[in-house]
Amino acid sequence: MSLAKPAMRGLLAKRLRFHLPIAFALSLCAAAAFKFAVSDPRKKAYADFYTQYDSTKEFNAMREAGIFESARPSGE
C-alpha cells in the first residue's frame, strides 16, 4: 500500500475557493453586528441627549461653579 501523492498543484486556488466566501460572509456578519449592536445605539443615545440638552443652562451651571476664568460667577 502506497500513500497517495499530495495535491500541490492548484492548492492555493482550491483552498481560496473554499475559504474566501466564508471569510466574506463572516466579515459581513461582523459589520452588521457592529452596526446594530454599537453604532445604532450610540447614535440614538446622542440624539436623545441633544434633544433635552440646554446649552445656556449648562453654561450658567459651569459659570456658577467657577470653572471659567473669563466669566465670573454672578455672586461676585
Side-chain angles (χ1 to χ4, degrees):
M1 285 254 239
S2 64
L3 294 173
K5 284 184 165 183
M8 299 302 284
R9 187 176 301 264
L11 184 62
L12 177 62
K14 181 181 172 186
R15 301 285 288 182
L16 281 179
R17 226 175 290 132
F18 177 75
H19 290 288
L20 199 59
I22 294 172
F24 188 72
L26 287 176
S27 66
L28 284 178
C29 289
F34 184 82
K35 180 187 182 327
F36 292 117
V38 177
S39 182
D40 286 348
R42 184 179 292 171
K43 286 180 187 177
K44 186 180 180 321
Y46 277 110
D48 291 343
F49 175 77
Y50 282 109
T51 55
Q52 302 170 1
Y53 183 69
D54 185 14
S55 60
T56 307
K57 179 181 164 187
E58 194 71 24
F59 170 75
N60 289 333
M62 287 189 283
R63 185 179 66 188
E64 295 303 320
I67 293 176
F68 303 119
E69 293 179 8
S70 62
R72 299 282 178 224
S74 61
E76 287 185 12

